[in-house]
Amino acid sequence: MDYFEIDVISNVLGFLNNPADLIRASAVSRSWRHHVVANGLCKKLWLRKFPQVANVAYAVEDSDGIIKLSNISSGNPENWEALKRDHKIYSFLLQPLAKPIICPKDCLGFPIGASSTDHDLAENVINTLTPIDRYPGGASYWSSKGERDPTVPENILYRLITSISIVTEVHIRPFQAFWEPGRPVYSPKSVRFRLGRPKFMEDVEIDVCPVQQPSVDKYIWTYTSPVFPMAQESCLQQFKLPEPVVCVGGIFQIELFGRSGRGPLDGLFYICLGYIRVLGHSLEPAFNLEMYPSGELQLKYYPHALDVLHRSFAGERSSSVDEAESERLLQRAELLLEEMAEEILDEWD
């Protein structure tokens, strides 16, 4: 390779799409390492695989202190020391994102709101977080308002459990109205998913109960999936993204297109969903995202926590971590139930 032109070498090594292969290539010899470092191939691969983080400032924290860069998408460094520093940082950043997620987890945190809801209390979008859609004396599901036009779309906004996650697939179960004649399934005809973040800190909606018609203009969408067709069946339907996506900002949207179910009493078209889950994995504690009032994001990376993240990807967790997580979830559930009860009582009053 020493006999090739620089641009030819850069082009050849640019075909390495696996971060592990690129890092191995930089360890073959001094010459190969020079080519990888001088051409900023780790940085280019990071931006190519994860464009969602292109405009995020970040810091790396380790035993040597904190290294800060103004912006990931800034121009190429001018000196060799800066090139080596970039190579080290981006090779670190690529490591956890190159690991397969063997044990994905549900990343949904809480719904922000839906574009419409037929009955605010009985058919609230909160119901989509529970896998049980039928219980003695009732049902648990979300329903849109009825429309005469079956092409009117709907959308639902959620917050993920953390501000930075990897999302790999989405599961949706349409709801079947078992008490209506013919037991119709109110499924959309197709779905699409978007990932993003609030534009400004003031746009972060933290209401406990979901809001009606949340404004999608408050968010910057960094990823939009292909449109997936849905079967008109009341089963858990799986939609795998073409590639794992890094969600920077923790906002997830489901867009619902087309209506197939018509109410037997009013003749209107509805969309009803029983259960939704988003599979992937949080990147905490190795990564942490902070948002400033101006809307600027800073991504911090903690190399000492990388091993914990890798074990979590593989489903290996210590009992102390499990206990801490269980306690955190229990406290969160108790807080949400208490605040929701207060808001519902206020509405009844």
Side-chain angles (χ1 to χ4, degrees):
M1 288 184 63
D2 291 339
Y3 291 97
F4 292 152
E5 297 291 338
I6 297 297
D7 58 341
V8 175
I9 298 173
S10 177
N11 187 50
V12 170
L13 294 178
F15 282 99
L16 295 176
N17 290 319
N18 189 316
D21 290 340
L22 187 58
I23 294 170
R24 290 190 188 103
S26 66
V28 170
S29 65
R30 289 188 179 90
S31 175
W32 280 43
R33 175 176 173 78
H34 176 85
H35 291 311
V36 172
V37 173
N39 288 283
L41 295 183
C42 281
K43 179 178 180 179
K44 292 177 181 178
L45 179 59
W46 166 269
L47 293 175
R48 189 166 71 246
K49 291 185 71 69
F50 307 103
Q52 300 83 16
V53 298
N55 295 311
V56 179
Y58 78 98
V60 175
E61 183 173 322
D62 56 21
S63 58
D64 298 326
I66 297 180
I67 306 171
K68 292 186 177 180
L69 295 182
S70 60
N71 194 291
I72 288 181
S73 60
S74 59
N76 292 326
E78 296 180 357
N79 58 71
W80 179 247
E81 290 302 319
L83 285 168
K84 288 196 299 182
R85 180 195 62 188
D86 272 13
H87 172 75
K88 178 182 178 182
I89 290 173
Y90 289 107
S91 61
F92 277 151
L93 292 173
L94 285 169
Q95 286 184 43
L97 304 179
K99 293 285 184 179
I101 301 177
I102 299 174
C103 296
K105 297 176 174 58
D106 190 354
C107 296
L108 274 188
F110 203 74
I112 296 174
S115 53
S116 74
T117 302
D118 196 29
H119 297 93
D120 291 345
L121 295 179
E123 299 172 342
N124 198 287
V125 70
I126 295 176
N127 297 333
T128 61
L129 300 181
T130 58
I132 300 175
D133 59 5
R134 189 172 179 176
Y135 56 89
S140 175
Y141 64 99
W142 164 79
S143 173
S144 71
K145 288 187 178 297
E147 297 284 351
R148 297 191 181 278
D149 183 0
T151 64
V152 174
E154 299 281 352
N155 69 80
I156 308 175
L157 275 174
Y158 293 90
R159 293 194 302 270
L160 301 182
I161 55 174
T162 59
S163 58
I164 180 164
S165 315
I166 295 180
V167 176
T168 57
E169 56 187 297
V170 182
H171 297 175
I172 301 176
R173 184 175 67 237
F175 182 73
Q176 183 176 34
F178 51 85
W179 64 89
E180 294 182 359
R183 300 164 61 90
V185 176
Y186 292 94
S187 170
K189 294 184 178 180
S190 59
V191 294
R192 185 171 65 185
F193 314 115
R194 295 204 291 180
L195 300 171
R197 63 178 179 86
K199 291 181 179 178
F200 303 102
M201 178 65 78
E202 61 189 26
D203 294 331
V204 178
E205 301 182 72
I206 56 176
D207 293 338
V208 174
C209 287
V211 299
Q212 281 284 3
Q213 298 180 341
S215 174
V216 296
D217 295 334
K218 293 181 177 180
Y219 304 95
I220 296 174
W221 302 109
T222 56
Y223 173 81
T224 301
S225 77
V227 176
F228 297 94
M230 285 200 69
Q232 310 306 302
E233 301 175 4
S234 180
C235 61
L236 195 62
Q237 302 180 34
Q238 303 178 6
F239 307 97
K240 190 169 183 178
L241 302 183
E243 288 187 338
V245 179
V246 178
C247 180
V248 177
I251 302 298
F252 175 79
Q253 182 192 52
I254 298 179
E255 296 178 290
L256 309 164
F257 304 113
R259 301 165 185 248
S260 58
R262 174 180 284 184
L265 298 180
D266 56 16
L268 300 179
F269 290 92
Y270 294 84
I271 296 177
C272 302
L273 302 179
Y275 181 47
I276 296 171
R277 65 182 180 184
V278 177
L279 293 184
H281 208 292
S282 168
L283 289 176
E284 294 182 355
F287 293 87
N288 182 45
L289 191 71
E290 294 183 6
M291 185 174 186
Y292 300 101
S294 63
E296 181 183 3
L297 297 177
Q298 184 178 70
L299 177 65
K300 291 186 177 180
Y301 169 54
Y302 303 92
H304 64 273
L306 186 60
D307 186 54
V308 175
L309 184 64
H310 287 172
R311 291 201 306 269
S312 183
F313 276 20
E316 302 172 6
R317 301 184 66 183
S318 64
S319 58
S320 60
V321 173
D322 287 334
E323 292 172 1
E325 178 71 6
S326 299
E327 184 178 356
R328 184 186 70 81
L329 291 175
L330 181 61
Q331 292 175 350
R332 173 178 149 210
E334 291 175 349
L335 177 63
L336 288 175
L337 288 173
E338 182 179 350
E339 294 185 1
M340 285 172 59
E342 291 179 359
E343 291 200 12
I344 291 174
L345 287 175
D346 288 342
E347 289 183 12
W348 286 350
D349 290 341

